[in-house]
Amino acid sequence: MKMKQLYLGMMSGTSLDGVDLALVDFAENPPKLTACDFTPMPEDLRADLSALLKSGETSLQKLGELDHRLGVLYAESVLAFLAKHQLAPKHIQAIGCHGQTVWHAPHGDHPFTMQIGDMHLVAARTGITTVGDFRRKDMAVGGQGAPLVPAFHQGIFADPHRITVVLNIGGISNVSLLQPDKTTIGYDVGVGNALLDSWIELHHGKRFDKNGDWAKSGQVRADLLAELLDEPFFQQAPPKSTGRELFNLDWLAKKLAKLPACSPEDVQRTLVEFTAQAIANDLAKLENPQGLPCLLLVCGGGARNPLIMARLADLLPEWQVAPTTDYGLDVDYVEAAAFAWLAYQRLNNLSGNLPSVTGASKTVQLGAVYSPN
């Protein structure tokens, strides 16, 4: 009987809704997702993180406290996961924990990225070796530190007989382009759910627009859509990455200020169109001289928004559009599974980045290892 090699991946994204956990068995080929779960973000912690992300300013004491509180949340999430699935710490080779991004600035004279969540706490409280701080090594060798999941996508979804694009619609939308006989590339294509979630929370106090119902009550404003798409980010060539430091409510307010008044529901509907159009515009640039079948695999929270999925299908008639769940990996846990893979790579002294994706000068091992002892 084959011995299992279990790694637990953890991800808390820009939506701040909570922590995704994905248990992956690397004794299987391809690696198999064996269990997954979700821990909601406590309201007080979410509010404090939201304030930090919105302002970009805090005190060292508050930042340190947030780092500690997130470490505790991650550790408690792991312990609850183990209890639920009747596992002991000894069954888990390692935890791969992304941490919470509070700022990502890959450009400028002093590029940096910051993820918080005390990994020493995670390792000490769970008794499991923990791997974290994945992005900074890539940046140290000239990369943007993002996105990191395309290498994982390549191993799971690539097919020599088709063009496959894996689209993650989280707070930000990013793609992995898996093309036969071509180097894999991946990059951020624009906003995902971040503005949609922020806008409905501002007007209705809801975390997200379930099934796109509020957006469906509005109309696309062509003038607003054009203004949103008129952002220099969309003209940049890959590799490129972005985040809430660009696409936030202040950015949206400046765009709205240039136009006649828009009803809130029309803004929401236009934001859906903005998300879909930015993705479709990017995929339209792909060359396919061999006429290969094209598959767009969608994961992340946006895959559960039927309006976004319908618009992608309408805008991309040459593509088969499907959720990753149809191909063996639950849409909600693809990114968490990727960090399990990155932990596996690190502990086996294997590289974790793709220079063709991040712009790094070379492949390197990603992540710092935190021992429980």
Side-chain angles (χ1 to χ4, degrees):
M1 185 175 177
K2 192 186 297 184
M3 289 289 290
K4 293 183 176 180
Q5 292 187 55
L6 298 176
Y7 286 75
L8 182 61
M10 301 176 66
M11 177 73 188
S12 57
T14 51
S15 61
L16 301 179
D17 54 348
V19 183
D20 296 324
L21 301 100
L23 187 66
V24 182
D25 184 1
F26 287 89
E28 301 288 335
N29 187 23
K32 182 181 179 182
L33 179 65
T34 64
C36 49
D37 216 333
F38 173 77
T39 301
M41 183 79 71
E43 285 295 331
D44 57 342
L45 180 55
R46 182 177 185 271
D48 290 344
L49 284 169
S50 295
L52 171 58
L53 291 174
K54 183 177 181 181
S55 69
E57 297 179 355
T58 189
S59 67
L60 288 175
Q61 179 173 344
K62 288 181 179 178
L63 184 63
E65 289 174 351
L66 282 172
D67 183 58
H68 179 97
R69 290 161 67 189
L70 277 164
V72 171
L73 174 64
Y74 294 145
E76 291 179 346
S77 299
V78 171
L79 294 174
F81 183 93
L82 296 179
K84 181 176 180 178
H85 296 283
Q86 298 181 314
L87 293 164
K90 66 181 181 181
H91 295 137
I92 310 299
Q93 301 295 314
I95 296 165
C97 185
H98 173 266
Q100 181 65 53
T101 298
V102 293
W103 205 258
H104 183 68
H107 304 293
D109 293 335
H110 308 288
F112 75 98
T113 187
M114 182 177 289
Q115 287 75 41
I116 61 174
D118 188 342
M119 299 299 149
H120 289 289
L121 274 174
V122 178
R125 294 197 178 199
T126 64
I128 302 170
T129 297
T130 300
V131 186
D133 192 11
F134 288 99
R135 299 188 184 276
R136 292 198 294 175
K137 185 65 171 290
D138 181 82
M139 295 187 76
V141 293
Q144 295 205 15
L148 297 182
V149 294
F152 172 69
H153 292 158
Q154 177 180 272
I156 301 296
F157 296 120
D159 187 311
H161 306 297
R162 70 178 185 229
I163 293 174
T164 306
V165 173
V166 184
L167 166 66
N168 175 62
I169 309 178
I172 299 299
S173 294
N174 53 66
V175 292
S176 301
L177 308 185
L178 313 175
Q179 302 175 82
D181 303 319
K182 287 192 176 183
T183 303
T184 294
I185 62 172
Y187 52 93
D188 291 345
V189 290
V191 76
N193 300 315
L195 288 174
L196 289 165
D197 294 348
S198 295
W199 189 251
I200 195 170
E201 184 169 28
L202 178 66
H203 289 275
H204 292 286
K206 296 180 179 179
R207 290 284 182 82
F208 63 97
D209 187 7
K210 188 174 182 180
N211 297 321
D213 288 341
W214 188 41
K216 290 174 187 174
S217 71
Q219 302 291 323
V220 175
R221 281 280 299 265
D223 55 347
L224 176 58
L225 179 61
E227 184 64 39
L228 297 175
L229 290 168
D230 184 27
E231 172 62 43
F233 174 81
F234 298 112
Q235 308 307 318
Q236 293 178 26
K240 58 181 181 176
S241 55
T242 188
R244 284 179 181 261
E245 62 278 354
L246 173 60
F247 293 111
N248 52 47
L249 286 180
D250 288 340
W251 176 85
L252 178 59
K254 291 174 184 175
K255 298 290 188 179
L256 288 168
K258 299 179 181 181
L259 303 170
C262 298
S263 69
E265 60 271 21
D266 284 355
V267 173
Q268 187 77 354
R269 177 64 186 86
T270 305
L271 288 173
V272 168
E273 196 67 16
F274 173 47
T275 293
Q277 288 265 6
I279 294 162
N281 290 349
D282 219 88
L283 295 188
K285 301 172 187 174
L286 281 184
E287 297 179 355
N288 185 14
Q290 296 175 283
L292 294 172
C294 297
L295 173 64
L296 179 63
L297 290 175
V298 189
C299 58
R304 297 195 180 279
N305 185 317
L307 187 54
I308 290 177
M309 294 295 283
R311 289 304 297 142
L312 287 172
D314 290 343
L315 292 165
L316 298 164
E318 305 292 317
W319 291 72
Q320 177 190 349
V321 179
T324 55
T325 305
D326 292 357
Y327 287 76
L329 205 51
D330 189 300
V331 296
D332 291 325
Y333 296 99
V334 175
E335 278 204 295
F339 283 92
W341 179 84
L342 283 164
Y344 172 86
Q345 294 292 103
R346 180 64 184 86
L347 288 197
N348 287 278
N349 299 314
L350 300 170
S351 61
N353 66 331
L354 288 175
S356 59
V357 171
T358 66
S361 61
K362 60 182 179 179
T363 58
V364 288
Q365 296 175 30
L366 300 182
V369 180
Y370 301 80
S371 170
N373 301 316

